[in-house]
Amino acid sequence: MTGLIEVTRDSGVALIRLNRPKQLNALNSALAREMIAAVQDLDATPEVGCLVITGDDRAFAAGADIAEMADKTAEAMQAQDFFGEWEGFARSRKPKIAAVNGYALGGGCELMMMCDFAIAGEGARFGQPEVKLGVMAGIGGTQRMTRLIGRARAMDMHLTGRMMDAAEALQAGLVARVVPDGQVLQQAMEAARLIASYSRPAVRLIREAIGQAEEVSLDEGLLFERRVFHGLFGSPDQMEGMAAFLEKRAPVFRGA
């Protein structure tokens, strides 16, 4: 580890903070390796029920590290499968919340979109400006943004390279909430603690079912949802949750 991220844990939540402030938290290969190793470790940690990913007040992440890529050839990029390692982050089974202040541009916007949802500050700015460099998004920007905000808006963002402010991002569906800048991390941590307090199997299957909605037909998605809903019955957490509701008390979930 070289300190490109900082990981702290609190009340079932792991906070991962990007730590390249001089580079506005630009994503490079070393940071990717640290991030993915940390997420894999947290995936295997039963006490952790949710992850929060954040940067600092100036930038969530202002893009990928251009200096690392500028001299590479197409052959070198393909041989290395450059950016391919980030799918290890996307495949994490723990819920992930992006807490966004400042710039989330290029790879930073793509990292945010790999999270389950984002809470943004009023001053946050979003964009995919790769076209200005003679390239295009490479960590899922064209694919995830289109699914989140639709074809027309995604074309606008990627073809013009313009930035979207927080209000537009909320209206478009790129982020889930916009809050005052000074409350972003607090609200993200509160949401993460709430998620971490719920049944882990139920949370995991909710994420899988919503993911299916982006990949299959409505009929297939409805069948998948119904099957996993049925499958939760008889589990310790289902029995505890419904018993607690009927007994008018708070449930104590123990499922891993």
Side-chain angles (χ1 to χ4, degrees), residues 39-78:
V39 167
Q40 289 173 342
D41 179 64
L42 293 166
D43 259 1
T45 305
E47 297 80 15
V48 173
C50 192
L51 313 181
V52 173
I53 317 299
T54 197
D56 55 38
D57 291 343
R58 290 196 302 159
F60 177 73
D65 193 329
I66 304 304
E68 185 179 40
M69 297 184 285
D71 296 331
K72 290 186 179 294
T73 64
E75 291 81 4
M77 295 292 273
Q78 291 167 1

Coordinates of all heavy atoms in Angstrom, one line a residue, residues 39-78:
V39 N -11.4 -3.2 -1.4 CA -12.8 -3.6 -1.6 C -12.9 -5.2 -1.5 O -13.9 -5.7 -0.9 CB -13.3 -3.1 -2.9 CG1 -14.6 -3.8 -3.3 CG2 -13.5 -1.6 -2.9
Q40 N -12.0 -5.9 -2.0 CA -12.0 -7.3 -1.9 C -11.9 -7.8 -0.5 O -12.6 -8.7 0.0 CB -10.9 -8.0 -2.8 CG -11.2 -7.9 -4.3 CD -10.1 -8.3 -5.2 OE1 -8.9 -8.5 -4.7 NE2 -10.4 -8.6 -6.4
D41 N -11.0 -7.1 0.3 CA -10.8 -7.4 1.7 C -12.1 -7.1 2.4 O -12.6 -7.9 3.3 CB -9.7 -6.6 2.2 CG -9.5 -6.9 3.7 OD1 -9.2 -8.1 4.1 OD2 -9.6 -6.0 4.5
L42 N -12.7 -6.0 2.1 CA -14.0 -5.6 2.8 C -15.1 -6.5 2.4 O -16.0 -6.8 3.3 CB -14.3 -4.1 2.5 CG -13.3 -3.1 3.1 CD1 -13.5 -1.7 2.5 CD2 -13.4 -3.0 4.6
D43 N -15.1 -7.0 1.2 CA -16.2 -7.9 0.8 C -16.1 -9.2 1.7 O -17.2 -9.8 1.9 CB -15.9 -8.3 -0.7 CG -16.9 -7.6 -1.6 OD1 -17.7 -6.8 -1.2 OD2 -16.8 -7.9 -2.8
A44 N -14.9 -9.5 2.1 CA -14.8 -10.8 2.9 C -14.9 -10.5 4.4 O -14.6 -11.4 5.2 CB -13.4 -11.4 2.6
T45 N -15.3 -9.3 4.8 CA -15.4 -8.9 6.2 C -16.8 -8.8 6.6 O -17.5 -7.9 6.2 CB -14.7 -7.5 6.4 OG1 -13.3 -7.6 5.9 CG2 -14.7 -7.2 7.9
P46 N -17.3 -9.8 7.3 CA -18.8 -9.9 7.6 C -19.3 -8.6 8.4 O -20.4 -8.3 8.3 CB -18.9 -11.1 8.5 CG -17.7 -12.0 8.1 CD -16.6 -11.0 7.8
E47 N -18.4 -8.0 9.2 CA -18.8 -6.9 10.0 C -19.2 -5.7 9.2 O -19.8 -4.8 9.7 CB -17.7 -6.5 11.1 CG -17.4 -7.6 12.1 CD -16.5 -8.7 11.5 OE1 -15.9 -8.5 10.5 OE2 -16.4 -9.8 12.2
V48 N -18.7 -5.6 8.0 CA -18.9 -4.4 7.1 C -20.1 -4.7 6.3 O -20.2 -5.6 5.5 CB -17.7 -4.2 6.2 CG1 -18.0 -3.0 5.2 CG2 -16.5 -3.8 7.1
G49 N -21.1 -3.8 6.4 CA -22.3 -3.9 5.6 C -22.5 -2.9 4.5 O -23.4 -3.1 3.7
C50 N -21.7 -1.9 4.4 CA -21.8 -0.9 3.3 C -20.5 -0.1 3.2 O -19.8 0.1 4.2 CB -23.0 0.1 3.7 SG -23.5 1.1 2.3
L51 N -20.2 0.3 2.0 CA -19.0 1.1 1.7 C -19.4 2.5 1.3 O -20.4 2.7 0.6 CB -18.2 0.5 0.6 CG -17.9 -1.0 0.7 CD1 -17.0 -1.4 -0.5 CD2 -17.2 -1.4 2.0
V52 N -18.6 3.5 1.7 CA -18.8 4.9 1.3 C -17.4 5.3 0.6 O -16.4 5.1 1.2 CB -19.1 5.8 2.4 CG1 -19.0 7.3 1.9 CG2 -20.4 5.5 3.0
I53 N -17.5 5.8 -0.6 CA -16.4 6.2 -1.4 C -16.4 7.7 -1.5 O -17.4 8.3 -1.9 CB -16.4 5.6 -2.8 CG1 -16.8 4.1 -2.8 CG2 -15.0 5.8 -3.5 CD1 -15.9 3.2 -2.0
T54 N -15.3 8.4 -1.2 CA -15.3 9.8 -1.2 C -13.9 10.3 -1.6 O -12.9 9.6 -1.7 CB -15.8 10.4 0.1 OG1 -16.1 11.8 -0.1 CG2 -14.7 10.3 1.2
G55 N -13.8 11.6 -1.9 CA -12.6 12.3 -2.2 C -12.3 13.4 -1.1 O -12.2 13.1 0.1
D56 N -12.2 14.6 -1.6 CA -12.1 15.7 -0.7 C -13.0 16.9 -1.1 O -13.8 16.7 -2.0 CB -10.6 16.2 -0.5 CG -10.0 16.5 -1.9 OD1 -10.7 17.1 -2.7 OD2 -8.8 16.2 -2.1
D57 N -12.8 18.0 -0.5 CA -13.7 19.1 -0.8 C -13.6 19.6 -2.3 O -14.6 20.1 -2.9 CB -13.5 20.3 0.1 CG -13.9 20.0 1.6 OD1 -14.7 19.0 1.7 OD2 -13.5 20.7 2.5
R58 N -12.4 19.5 -2.8 CA -12.2 20.1 -4.2 C -12.6 19.1 -5.3 O -13.1 19.5 -6.3 CB -10.7 20.4 -4.4 CG -10.2 21.6 -3.6 CD -8.9 22.1 -4.2 NE -7.9 21.1 -4.1 CZ -6.8 21.1 -4.9 NH1 -6.6 22.1 -5.8 NH2 -5.9 20.1 -4.8
A59 N -12.4 17.8 -5.0 CA -12.7 16.8 -6.0 C -13.0 15.4 -5.4 O -12.2 14.9 -4.6 CB -11.5 16.7 -7.0
F60 N -14.0 14.8 -5.9 CA -14.2 13.4 -5.7 C -13.1 12.7 -6.5 O -12.3 12.0 -5.9 CB -15.6 13.0 -6.3 CG -15.9 11.5 -6.2 CD1 -16.2 10.9 -5.0 CD2 -15.9 10.7 -7.3 CE1 -16.4 9.5 -4.9 CE2 -16.2 9.4 -7.3 CZ -16.4 8.8 -6.1
A61 N -13.0 12.9 -7.8 CA -11.9 12.5 -8.6 C -12.1 13.2 -9.9 O -13.1 13.1 -10.5 CB -11.8 11.0 -8.8
A62 N -11.0 13.9 -10.3 CA -11.1 14.8 -11.5 C -10.8 14.1 -12.8 O -10.5 14.7 -13.8 CB -10.2 16.0 -11.3
G63 N -10.7 12.8 -12.7 CA -10.5 12.0 -14.0 C -9.4 10.9 -13.8 O -9.0 10.6 -12.6
A64 N -9.0 10.3 -14.9 CA -7.9 9.4 -14.9 C -6.6 10.2 -15.0 O -6.6 11.3 -15.4 CB -8.0 8.4 -16.0
D65 N -5.5 9.5 -14.6 CA -4.2 10.2 -14.7 C -3.7 10.2 -16.1 O -3.2 9.2 -16.6 CB -3.2 9.4 -13.7 CG -2.0 10.2 -13.5 OD1 -1.5 11.0 -14.3 OD2 -1.4 10.1 -12.4
I66 N -3.8 11.4 -16.7 CA -3.4 11.5 -18.1 C -1.9 11.3 -18.3 O -1.5 10.7 -19.3 CB -3.7 12.9 -18.7 CG1 -5.2 13.2 -18.5 CG2 -3.4 13.0 -20.1 CD1 -6.2 12.2 -19.1
A67 N -1.1 11.7 -17.4 CA 0.4 11.5 -17.5 C 0.7 10.0 -17.6 O 1.7 9.6 -18.3 CB 1.1 12.1 -16.3
E68 N 0.0 9.1 -17.0 CA 0.2 7.7 -17.0 C -0.1 7.1 -18.4 O 0.4 6.1 -18.8 CB -0.6 7.0 -16.0 CG -0.3 5.5 -15.8 CD -1.1 4.8 -14.7 OE1 -2.3 5.2 -14.6 OE2 -0.6 4.0 -14.0
M69 N -1.0 7.8 -19.2 CA -1.5 7.2 -20.4 C -0.9 7.9 -21.7 O -1.0 7.3 -22.8 CB -3.0 7.3 -20.5 CG -3.8 6.6 -19.4 SD -5.5 6.7 -19.6 CE -5.8 8.4 -19.1
A70 N -0.4 9.1 -21.6 CA -0.2 9.9 -22.7 C 0.7 9.3 -23.8 O 0.5 9.4 -25.0 CB 0.4 11.2 -22.3
D71 N 1.7 8.5 -23.4 CA 2.7 7.9 -24.3 C 2.4 6.5 -24.7 O 3.2 5.9 -25.5 CB 4.1 8.0 -23.7 CG 4.6 9.4 -23.5 OD1 4.1 10.3 -24.3 OD2 5.4 9.7 -22.6
K72 N 1.3 5.9 -24.3 CA 1.0 4.5 -24.6 C 0.5 4.4 -26.0 O -0.2 5.3 -26.6 CB 0.0 4.0 -23.6 CG 0.6 3.8 -22.2 CD -0.4 3.1 -21.3 CE 0.2 2.9 -19.9 NZ 1.3 2.0 -19.8
T73 N 0.7 3.2 -26.6 CA 0.2 2.9 -27.9 C -1.1 2.0 -27.7 O -1.4 1.5 -26.6 CB 1.2 2.0 -28.7 OG1 1.4 0.8 -28.0 CG2 2.5 2.8 -28.8
A74 N -1.8 1.9 -28.8 CA -3.0 1.0 -28.8 C -2.6 -0.4 -28.4 O -3.3 -1.1 -27.6 CB -3.7 1.0 -30.1
E75 N -1.5 -0.9 -28.9 CA -1.1 -2.2 -28.6 C -0.8 -2.4 -27.1 O -1.2 -3.4 -26.5 CB 0.2 -2.6 -29.4 CG -0.1 -2.8 -30.9 CD -0.2 -1.4 -31.7 OE1 0.1 -0.4 -31.0 OE2 -0.5 -1.5 -32.9
A76 N -0.1 -1.4 -26.5 CA 0.2 -1.5 -25.1 C -1.1 -1.4 -24.3 O -1.2 -2.1 -23.3 CB 1.1 -0.3 -24.7
M77 N -2.0 -0.5 -24.6 CA -3.3 -0.4 -23.9 C -4.0 -1.8 -23.9 O -4.6 -2.2 -22.9 CB -4.1 0.7 -24.4 CG -3.5 2.1 -24.3 SD -3.4 2.6 -22.5 CE -5.1 3.4 -22.4
Q78 N -4.1 -2.4 -25.1 CA -4.8 -3.6 -25.2 C -4.1 -4.8 -24.5 O -4.8 -5.6 -23.9 CB -5.0 -4.0 -26.7 CG -6.0 -3.0 -27.4 CD -5.9 -3.1 -28.9 OE1 -5.2 -3.9 -29.5 NE2 -6.7 -2.3 -29.6

